[in-house]
Amino acid sequence: MDSARQALRLLRAYGLRSVLTLFGLVWGTASVVFLVGWGESLEEVVDRGFEKAGRDLGQLSAGTIGEEFTPSTDRRQLLISWQDVAAIRRQARLARAVGAETRRYLPVTAGSLSFHREVRGVEPEGLRIRAIPVAQGRTIRPGDVGERRPVAVLGFEVAEDLYGARPAVGRRLRIDGRFFEVVGRLERMGAQFGQDGEPIDDQIWIPITTHFASWPTPGTEPNAVSTVLYRLSRSSAVDATEDELRRLLAERLGVDPKDEEAIVGWSASRTLAQIPLGELRGILALLSVTTLAISGIGVLNLMLDTVRQRRREIGLRLAVGARPLDVVVQFLIETATIVALGGLLGIAIALALILAFAAVDLPEIIPVPRVSVPAIALALGVMSAVGLIAGGIPALRAARVDPASTLRSDG
Amino acid sequence: MGVGEAANAILDLEGVHKHYQTDRVDVHALRGVDLRIATGDYLSIMGPSGSGKTTMLEILGLLSPASAGTVRFQGRPTSGLDVTALAHIRSQEIGFVFQAFNLLPRLSAVENVELPLVYQRSGGGPGGRRSRRDRKERAIEALRRVGLESRAGHLPGEMSGGERQRVAVARALVNDPAVILADEPTGNLDSKTGEEVLSLFDALHEQGGTLVVVTHDERVGARAARTVSVRDGVIERDD
């Protein structure tokens, strides 16, 4: 207790220097708690994003033949037809479902409002793969596709932009001059990872056949799809499933299945595995811990200085019966008090900041740092180590003061 | 020397030498000192600067080991004791009065007086420590003995030089030591306040206390029952 009081006196005596030292500790611990907490929620945000996009979702699309494959002189854009997709669907054994989508950026008009949006031609097979819940009305049905009906399902934001809070179902809008009836509105999806094109919230869905008929692909293949979607079955590995689909598709397009420029593949699970989240968290932790450790140098300096200035006091204490261990303990407690003061303040500030972040309405894609028990434990652990080193060295130095020096202080 | 005589001695130096190494110069500060301090002695050690009297006090106070010779405290040789054991003897049996008061400026008078008790390990409390209350009571009692009970809560900066030195004497008394060692106790005081401290020493001596005072102040020498003169690291006179 006396040593703790002495620590507070010491801080008062050092004025600005104490403030800077404490600031280092506050900054250090706050950054550990904040950044490590942030890293944790970053991981969760990514995870959630993939969950929504579909963790077992995969896509294939056509590109151009790669240079090391024949005929490499053929630079034309390869096209996958709807018929190709239907054929693959019949032949594929490993994928749980296969579907097609086609998309185009088109002007959309409703009343006096007009803007461009991504309009997707979809089919029920593809929608089952995406599994996006409908908020109002219905989704695109087999009958819509079979009869090429002019119906549209709006993404959450599109409906919001066009109609605000009013119901969207039953309204009519024009896409590139053609009339469509709104039959459904999707749930808000928020941040997603790995999707192609615009976020689903900003898309308009129409039957794929209506899409082909209204905006046929120029050239020989009017029914070209943009994307082949597939869903992994629970038992099959992503690589084997993609390999099978790639082989079937390559056969139909007349390209080499190994040509990754001709057939471009993407899968959520593989992308997720490639994001170095662990490393990212490690870097955040390392950066913040380093900051905290560096702040320890300030404490070390302060304590070394106070030991230098208090040699007389230390000598006196030793002369009147303090054991060297008593002196070591005294300076360790003084250091611990200073470190605890700065460190706990830092943790409190970080927690307050985290709560403040949570209260602000941030875009979903920005991770909100969370109160992380491991982060606090890490901060406390590093703080203790800092205290032990920054206090230990000066304390040992203090214990070596010669008690006989009390008799010689005036020469 | 008889057995009874040795047992009666609090401090006993026999053939003590002390070497210092300062700036690559070897200082031979004590060159064979024999000195016995018995219970109830009031001894002054006198000598010019550099004579070795302060070194002698260091050795008597167990603050520094002898380079050669034997130092016995209450009949037991101290040469084999480690720093902790020596600290224990100092906290239990020795009271120090330093030249420049040597009070901690941020502690009140009573807190300064308490200091030796903080480090005592035989107070009966947990780990042998004295309770805060017991320390406070003893410190107040020591202040009463030097007539400063009413100044207990004052900081050293708020006191006169004489008062500060009396606080320092109270600190030397507080652990009820077998011997009080004083280093130039009147060195920083004018003659009037110096007299106050010397009267205090007289009183302690009359109550049976053992005092060793290092000084070059003739008045102190005149008050002590026994005066030891030191010159060039040896005892010149002892009477």
Side-chain angles (χ1 to χ4, degrees), chain B residues 7 13 29 39-40 45 56 60 66 68-69 83 92 97 116 125 132 166-167 176 179 224:
Chain B
L13 308 191
T39 305
I45 299 175
M56 206 183 285
L60 290 170
V83 284
Q92 299 293 330
V97 180
R132 185 175 283 263
R166 277 150 67 196
V167 171
D176 213 358
V179 58

Side-chain angles (χ1 to χ4, degrees), chain B residues 2 4 8 10 132 155 182 227 231:
Chain B
N8 197 26
I10 292 170
R132 185 175 283 263
L155 294 175
T227 298
R231 183 176 289 274

Side-chain angles (χ1 to χ4, degrees), chain A residues 128-139:
Chain A
R128 270 201 294 279
I129 292 168
R130 289 220 182 260
I132 311 285
V134 176
Q136 289 167 15
R138 61 178 183 85
T139 187

